[in-house]
Amino acid sequence: MNITKDLYGTSLSLLTDLYQFTMAYGYWKTGHLNKEGVFHAYFRKHPFKGGFTVACGLDYLIDFLQNLKFSADEVAYLASLNGSDGKPLFEEGFIDYLRDFKFSCDIEAVAEGTVVFPNEPLVRVKGPILECMLIETPILNIINFQSLIATKAARLRLSAKDDQLLEFGLRRAQGIDGSLAASRASYIGGCDATSNVLAGKLFGIPVKGTHAHSWVMSFDSELSAFETYAEAMPNNCVFLVDTYDTIQGVAHAIEVGKKLKAQGHELNGIRLDSGDLAYLSIQAREMLDHAGFESTAIVASNDLDEYLIANLKNEQNAQINIWGVGTKLAASFDQPALGGVYKIGAVKENKDSHWKYKIKLSEQLIKVSNPGIQQVRRYYYPDGQCMADMIFDEIEELPTKIKVIDPSDSFRNKRIPDYTEYEDLLQPIFKKGDLVYKRPEIKEIKERVAQQMSLFHSGIKRFSNPHIYPVGLEESLYDKKSALILMHKNEE
Amino acid sequence: MNITKDLYGTSLSLLTDLYQFTMAYGYWKTGHLNKEGVFHAYFRKHPFKGGFTVACGLDYLIDFLQNLKFSADEVAYLASLNGSDGKPLFEEGFIDYLRDFKFSCDIEAVAEGTVVFPNEPLVRVKGPILECMLIETPILNIINFQSLIATKAARLRLSAKDDQLLEFGLRRAQGIDGSLAASRASYIGGCDATSNVLAGKLFGIPVKGTHAHSWVMSFDSELSAFETYAEAMPNNCVFLVDTYDTIQGVAHAIEVGKKLKAQGHELNGIRLDSGDLAYLSIQAREMLDHAGFESTAIVASNDLDEYLIANLKNEQNAQINIWGVGTKLAASFDQPALGGVYKIGAVKENKDSHWKYKIKLSEQLIKVSNPGIQQVRRYYYPDGQCMADMIFDEIEELPTKIKVIDPSDSFRNKRIPDYTEYEDLLQPIFKKGDLVYKRPEIKEIKERVAQQMSLFHSGIKRFSNPHIYPVGLEESLYDKKSALILMHKNEE
């Protein structure tokens, strides 16, 4: 499935901020078509006050980039835009340029499902600066959101441990594709299934669901509602028991469960959607077990998040096997946006000239961007666990003795022992605009998350005051950055 | 533009929770195809602890419903789903039924841009219960999100007063259509323009933008960056002045502004994107005025929301004319989901039988649903201002003396004087599945918001402890609901 072709019926090439076009026009108009740049998309802080982030969204982005061209219709729209004097913003020559536009950048990115950290480029774009800019906003739109949701799902997976985890967020998600992309990222991050049928079909995610309160209310009694459902779908019976009175509802489910059993079927589960989930699940478990339904699952939903699940499981002994999570996951309720940014690291006048390194200053050190053509190297302990990540300049030779320095606190630094195993996280995705990456299946991406999560110390995975995994700039890149800061400060 | 046909390239008919299909199958399989229901989509609490909500999203929903049918591809997917025993969930007969499915419900809805209140149905669906259920989730997905964003934009409009308000949220929005739908709802709710070019083209929204920090950084100096931009686009110059040092940036903007002026152009504005916006805007205003740029606008962005804008304007005397709002608006950061629900009000065995009224009980009174076939009547004072809203049962004759009772507090009630002017808010949208509604243009919807906002007492529009606009159940509907609650309580 190709997202921009199969999901969207319109070209998405205009899915960007207008200023990307006005800047592109600026370069075109003033003879800077050959100016090249390198940009990095990264975030500065983990979401949810957490200690890790799961990169996600690359597959959507690849589709977007493969379809990046401007149709007659699109250029006509751009040609219709006017400036403050009522005259066209763009000259016809630029419109012609866009009509013949062919995307030609090199793109490196971290594989979907990789655990990543602040300041690490998730996507690196190198090429004509005009092109780098046009794709800034879609990169951020896609990667920010799906990484946010995959991270939230990974946190839910941590709290649910080996229980089933279902994503039920469609009705509260932010728009149509807000829901679809959330279902995809939730599955990748740790959910087992979604309620969203279209997401199931588009992405190959398992779908789950049985019935709502309205089913019960549309019959004269709860018992007859359960009986009718069991008659229709004896192989899919999870009864929602809280429409009127939960304990009564469990009794009705058991009554119908006995009939199912007599017919050779199973009572798959009951679902609790309100009330005291700990108390009710314990009561329900006892009633079910007592009636011989030891393998009938107890599903819970109702504004669940990772904290509530952990609390119900660990503190309250709730007897819940399957967790349905909606709003808190699909709309990432406690932090609905990841603040990813896209900053220029270097620029050159044309492809044959030298790179000039660039930083964006800020009064806050954390907001000063890193210069260079960055790559991320992940070092491993002999047992395969992750040791530290290093952001380094790919076009400079590395010293023999490696030292990484925390860019926001130079006293935090770490020597990497010689001969330490490592892996470079940014992989080639596009070369001169052509896709060179073998896109993994969604299942492989999901498995990668689980595997990645196992490579990190549990300290980074706890919810309160997580351990800060060491990530720093390679020493010579750190020095270059410091020199650039000083140069700008002296100019003031 | 038709959203489901022009924006999405795939049919969206599977955009629903699986349980809607399993329930539909349940009705089909057990001979309840003719069972009818009436459902209401409503919310229980205003978002943002506010006193009003702006209904939005109907146009998207109409597109969805007009295209609701199941292709061979879609039914094949449903036919491939299995139950717990590994056998198909759905019989072939049901798959055939879906293949021939034709949507046949009556739908009433509140016009987009109407100011609405808790418990008021925004959408009412009446018809075969199986169909009512299938469309529950898309209704909630679309209406919840767009109403949330339109409300946030209306709040921003209140704080920005007559200043320009721009939506810049694409990079932080929740997915691709999360951004597009947010741009649409933001414009309707109160924004003047968006940065999102595709939203501009699809919905006919004005688009705005000039340049980013990366433009400045791609030149050897800020001054040459501004000069180059002015050379390219003298009719679109709003210079971003905070890449290195804001005050220096303003000086550079003025320097280039003088050249623009000499050529007969204008310096449209400068933009502040960091730092102390009050202090810097006051400084910048002085510098601009002193240099003769009294009409040059000062644009501000950087994590703005309605509270910060109100504070900057009212408390800090910030000299800002144009407000760019991103994350806090497009992702509705402080409350990313509206908790709208869709509840059954009545059911009948077939179209010739009588309605049976239904409620969903809950331990919290606010969560007990209202029964009946509901309409909302809005009463007006002689001066045209809104007096109170009444939810009543459309198929019952109203008493001559009207009394409305707050469903969560029966001591709060209000007599409506005889001969009070009123309007019924729910309008016919579909009759037996056919569209009967003249869809307004987006500009009309936007104007409706502004006009609606003027009809309400300022108390409901304040941000802290807003006045609660009176909304209640018509007395006889209240009595029916009470009787239903008692009936269920006695059954326990």
Side-chain angles (χ1 to χ4, degrees):
Chain A
M1 120 101 188
N2 178 312
I3 289 123
T4 53
K5 276 192 178 154
D6 298 337
L7 174 55
Y8 285 97
T10 178
S11 157
L12 296 174
S13 302
L14 297 183
L15 185 82
T16 196
D17 290 314
L18 179 65
Y19 76 9
Q20 314 292 7
F21 282 107
T22 59
M23 291 190 287
Y25 177 69
Y27 292 119
W28 175 86
K29 172 76 180 164
T30 60
H32 289 101
L33 264 186
N34 297 323
K35 204 183 257 260
E36 299 214 339
V38 58
F39 286 73
H40 306 93
Y42 62 97
F43 59 89
R44 299 186 185 112
K45 265 173 69 180
H46 291 300
F48 319 120
K49 301 184 176 133
F52 69 92
T53 297
V54 175
C56 192
L58 180 60
D59 210 57
Y60 253 64
L61 181 60
I62 289 172
D63 280 340
F64 175 86
L65 294 169
Q66 282 198 294
N67 292 288
L68 184 60
K69 49 182 177 268
F70 300 98
S71 66
D73 191 36
E74 289 166 317
V75 297
Y77 175 74
L78 292 170
S80 76
L81 300 176
N82 294 325
S84 61
D85 57 0
K87 290 180 190 153
L89 270 187
F90 306 121
E91 269 180 29
E92 217 164 290
F94 178 67
I95 299 297
D96 293 338
Y97 167 82
L98 287 180
R99 200 179 281 118
D100 299 331
F101 176 89
K102 199 189 155 312
F103 177 63
S104 70
C105 290
D106 291 342
I107 295 197
E108 266 80 18
V110 163
E112 277 195 283
T114 305
V115 169
V116 291
F117 298 92
N119 299 309
E120 297 181 348
L122 308 190
V123 182
R124 185 181 86 192
V125 181
K126 196 168 63 163
I129 196 164
L130 172 163
E131 297 185 30
C132 298
M133 285 179 171
L134 280 180
I135 64 176
E136 169 181 11
T137 332
I139 289 175
L140 293 176
N141 174 269
I142 292 168
I143 301 294
N144 273 338
F145 179 54
Q146 293 199 35
S147 299
L148 181 77
I149 300 295
T151 307
K152 178 56 92 175
R155 291 165 63 86
L156 284 157
R157 169 49 65 209
L158 287 170
S159 63
K161 298 181 180 161
D162 295 327
D163 294 345
Q164 260 198 64
L165 197 55
L166 312 176
E167 179 269 310
F168 286 170
L170 171 56
R171 63 190 57 202
R172 303 280 166 78
Q174 294 205 347
I176 293 172
D177 186 32
S179 78
L180 294 168
S183 296
R184 176 181 189 273
S186 296
Y187 179 66
I188 287 173
C191 288
D192 297 295
T194 178
S195 66
N196 185 332
V197 183
L198 184 56
K201 176 170 184 285
L202 288 173
F203 304 120
I205 305 173
V207 289
K208 292 270 177 182
T210 60
H211 74 83
H213 295 117
S214 56
W215 172 270
V216 175
M217 293 160 74
S218 75
F219 291 89
D220 286 337
S221 74
E222 186 176 66
L223 187 61
S224 70
F226 290 174
E227 279 170 342
T228 311
Y229 194 89
E231 179 193 331
M233 312 195 79
N235 64 351
N236 187 36
C237 284
V238 176
F239 295 126
L240 177 59
V241 292
D242 72 333
T243 305
Y244 303 117
D245 174 85
T246 302
I247 298 299
Q248 188 69 56
V250 177
H252 289 151
I254 288 172
E255 196 173 331
V256 178
K258 287 180 180 164
K259 290 187 195 166
L260 280 166
K261 204 181 256 183
Q263 293 157 17
H265 298 293
E266 283 182 68
L267 176 60
N268 296 126
I270 60 153
R271 178 158 74 97
L272 306 170
D273 189 41
S274 61
D276 183 330
L277 295 177
Y279 171 80
L280 292 171
S281 67
I282 292 167
Q283 293 292 312
R285 185 74 272 158
E286 265 180 30
M287 291 169 73
L288 287 165
D289 288 355
H290 188 256
F293 294 96
E294 289 87 356
S295 59
T296 294
I298 298 179
V299 187
S301 48
N302 193 22
D303 271 348
L304 296 172
D305 62 15
E306 65 270 43
Y307 305 103
L308 200 49
I309 292 175
N311 189 273
L312 281 164
K313 275 182 79 77
N314 305 334
E315 310 286 323
Q316 302 188 58
N317 193 31
Q319 298 298 303
I320 293 164
N321 318 97
I322 303 177
W323 306 86
V325 185
T327 317
K328 298 289 170 77
L329 169 56
S332 192
F333 202 85
D334 60 341
Q335 184 186 326
L338 178 66
V341 296
Y342 183 83
K343 297 287 173 194
I344 196 166
V347 65
K348 57 184 181 179
E349 284 314 308
N350 59 62
K351 69 178 183 336
D352 300 321
S353 52
H354 285 292
W355 287 109
K356 287 185 200 163
Y357 285 24
K358 296 284 176 177
I359 55 167
K360 157 83 181 77
L361 289 186
S362 169
E363 284 168 35
Q364 298 161 266
L365 194 53
I366 191 184
K367 284 194 166 184
V368 178
S369 61
N370 293 320
I373 294 89
Q374 300 164 27
Q375 173 59 281
V376 183
R377 184 158 292 181
R378 177 159 293 169
Y379 289 100
Y380 295 95
Y381 288 113
D383 67 358
Q385 291 282 296
C386 295
M387 175 193 289
D389 288 3
M390 174 178 80
I391 300 165
F392 66 103
D393 188 347
E394 209 182 50
I395 60 171
E396 294 285 336
E397 208 176 313
L398 289 175
T400 29
K401 297 287 175 195
I402 298 288
K403 186 174 168 188
V404 300
I405 303 177
D406 185 331
S408 55
D409 178 1
S410 62
F411 293 106
R412 270 177 65 103
N413 57 60
K414 193 178 182 88
R415 286 220 169 273
I416 306 293
D418 298 347
Y419 313 112
T420 301
E421 293 280 331
Y422 65 78
E423 183 188 14
D424 287 345
L425 296 187
L426 288 173
Q427 306 176 23
I429 312 294
F430 286 87
K431 278 204 196 294
K432 300 209 177 307
D434 293 323
L435 186 70
V436 295
Y437 181 66
K438 192 182 163 301
R439 301 160 71 166
E441 297 291 322
I442 193 167
K443 282 216 164 159
E444 297 170 56
I445 304 171
K446 182 180 177 55
E447 283 158 17
R448 183 174 173 84
V449 175
Q451 183 264 343
Q452 282 271 308
M453 291 292 287
S454 73
L455 299 179
F456 289 88
H457 185 267
S458 62
I460 72 150
K461 292 176 252 182
R462 66 172 180 248
F463 298 155
S464 11
N465 295 320
H467 173 68
I468 298 172
Y469 177 77
V471 178
L473 299 186
E474 185 276 319
E475 190 170 17
S476 59
L477 181 59
Y478 181 85
D479 291 343
K480 257 183 228 164
K481 178 178 178 176
S482 304
L484 278 169
I485 296 175
L486 287 173
M487 187 192 83
H488 281 292
K489 294 276 178 198
N490 289 336
E491 274 177 5
E492 277 173 23
Chain B
M1 122 100 187
N2 177 311
I3 290 123
T4 54
K5 276 191 177 153
D6 299 337
L7 175 55
Y8 286 97
T10 179
S11 158
L12 295 174
S13 302
L14 296 184
L15 186 82
T16 195
D17 291 314
L18 179 64
Y19 76 11
Q20 314 291 6
F21 282 108
T22 58
M23 290 190 287
Y25 177 68
Y27 291 119
W28 176 86
K29 173 74 181 166
T30 59
H32 289 100
L33 265 185
N34 296 323
K35 205 183 254 261
E36 298 214 338
V38 57
F39 286 74
H40 306 92
Y42 62 97
F43 60 88
R44 299 185 186 113
K45 266 172 69 181
H46 290 301
F48 319 119
K49 301 186 178 134
F52 69 93
T53 298
V54 175
C56 192
L58 181 60
D59 212 56
Y60 253 63
L61 181 60
I62 289 171
D63 280 341
F64 174 87
L65 294 169
Q66 282 198 294
N67 291 287
L68 183 60
K69 51 181 174 267
F70 300 98
S71 67
D73 192 37
E74 289 165 317
V75 297
Y77 175 74
L78 292 171
S80 76
L81 301 176
N82 294 323
S84 60
D85 56 1
K87 290 181 188 153
L89 270 186
F90 305 121
E91 269 179 30
E92 217 164 289
F94 179 65
I95 299 299
D96 293 339
Y97 167 81
L98 287 180
R99 200 179 281 118
D100 300 333
F101 176 89
K102 201 191 157 307
F103 177 62
S104 70
C105 290
D106 291 344
I107 295 196
E108 267 80 18
V110 163
E112 277 195 283
T114 304
V115 169
V116 289
F117 299 91
N119 299 310
E120 296 181 349
L122 308 189
V123 182
R124 185 180 85 192
V125 182
K126 197 168 63 162
I129 197 164
L130 173 166
E131 297 184 30
C132 298
M133 285 181 173
L134 281 179
I135 64 176
E136 169 181 11
T137 332
I139 289 175
L140 292 176
N141 174 269
I142 293 167
I143 301 294
N144 273 339
F145 179 54
Q146 294 199 34
S147 299
L148 182 77
I149 300 296
T151 307
K152 177 57 89 176
R155 291 166 63 87
L156 284 157
R157 170 49 62 211
L158 287 170
S159 63
K161 296 180 181 161
D162 295 329
D163 294 345
Q164 259 198 65
L165 196 56
L166 312 177
E167 179 269 312
F168 285 170
L170 171 56
R171 63 191 56 202
R172 303 279 167 80
Q174 296 205 345
I176 295 172
D177 185 31
S179 78
L180 295 167
S183 295
R184 175 181 190 271
S186 296
Y187 180 65
I188 287 173
C191 287
D192 297 296
T194 178
S195 65
N196 186 333
V197 183
L198 184 56
K201 178 171 183 284
L202 288 173
F203 304 120
I205 305 172
V207 288
K208 291 273 177 181
T210 61
H211 75 82
H213 295 117
S214 55
W215 173 270
V216 175
M217 292 161 75
S218 75
F219 291 88
D220 285 338
S221 74
E222 186 176 68
L223 187 60
S224 71
F226 291 174
E227 279 170 341
T228 311
Y229 194 90
E231 181 192 332
M233 312 194 80
N235 64 351
N236 187 36
C237 285
V238 176
F239 295 128
L240 177 59
V241 293
D242 72 332
T243 305
Y244 305 118
D245 174 85
T246 302
I247 298 299
Q248 188 68 56
V250 177
H252 289 152
I254 288 170
E255 197 172 331
V256 178
K258 285 179 179 162
K259 292 187 195 167
L260 280 167
K261 203 180 258 183
Q263 294 158 17
H265 298 294
E266 283 182 69
L267 176 60
N268 296 127
I270 60 153
R271 178 157 74 97
L272 307 171
D273 189 40
S274 60
D276 182 331
L277 296 177
Y279 171 80
L280 292 170
S281 67
I282 292 166
Q283 293 293 310
R285 184 75 272 158
E286 266 181 29
M287 292 168 71
L288 287 165
D289 288 355
H290 187 254
F293 293 97
E294 290 86 356
S295 59
T296 293
I298 298 179
V299 187
S301 47
N302 193 21
D303 271 347
L304 296 172
D305 63 16
E306 65 269 43
Y307 305 102
L308 199 49
I309 292 175
N311 188 275
L312 281 163
K313 277 182 78 79
N314 304 334
E315 309 286 324
Q316 302 188 59
N317 193 30
Q319 298 298 303
I320 294 164
N321 319 97
I322 302 179
W323 306 85
V325 186
T327 317
K328 299 290 169 79
L329 169 56
S332 193
F333 202 85
D334 61 340
Q335 185 186 326
L338 178 65
V341 295
Y342 182 82
K343 296 288 174 194
I344 196 166
V347 64
K348 56 183 181 180
E349 285 314 307
N350 58 63
K351 68 180 185 335
D352 300 320
S353 51
H354 285 292
W355 287 108
K356 287 185 201 164
Y357 283 24
K358 295 285 176 176
I359 55 167
K360 158 84 181 74
L361 289 186
S362 167
E363 282 167 36
Q364 297 162 268
L365 194 54
I366 191 186
K367 284 194 166 183
V368 177
S369 63
N370 293 320
I373 293 88
Q374 300 164 28
Q375 171 62 279
V376 183
R377 184 159 292 181
R378 177 159 293 169
Y379 289 99
Y380 295 94
Y381 288 112
D383 66 358
Q385 291 282 295
C386 295
M387 174 193 290
D389 289 2
M390 172 178 81
I391 300 165
F392 66 102
D393 188 347
E394 209 182 51
I395 58 171
E396 295 284 336
E397 207 175 314
L398 289 174
T400 28
K401 295 288 176 194
I402 298 288
K403 186 174 169 189
V404 298
I405 303 177
D406 184 332
S408 55
D409 177 1
S410 61
F411 293 105
R412 271 178 63 103
N413 58 60
K414 194 177 181 87
R415 286 220 168 272
I416 306 294
D418 299 346
Y419 314 112
T420 301
E421 292 280 331
Y422 65 79
E423 184 187 14
D424 287 344
L425 296 186
L426 288 173
Q427 305 176 23
I429 312 295
F430 287 88
K431 280 206 195 291
K432 300 207 177 310
D434 293 323
L435 186 70
V436 294
Y437 181 65
K438 193 180 163 301
R439 300 160 72 166
E441 297 291 322
I442 193 167
K443 283 215 164 160
E444 296 169 59
I445 303 171
K446 183 180 177 55
E447 283 159 16
R448 180 172 175 85
V449 175
Q451 182 264 345
Q452 282 271 308
M453 290 294 286
S454 73
L455 299 180
F456 289 88
H457 185 267
S458 62
I460 72 150
K461 293 176 252 181
R462 66 172 180 250
F463 298 155
S464 8
N465 295 321
H467 173 68
I468 299 172
Y469 176 77
V471 178
L473 299 187
E474 185 275 320
E475 190 171 19
S476 59
L477 181 59
Y478 181 86
D479 292 342
K480 257 184 229 166
K481 178 179 178 176
S482 305
L484 277 169
I485 296 174
L486 287 175
M487 187 191 82
H488 282 292
K489 294 276 179 200
N490 289 337
E491 274 177 6
E492 278 174 23

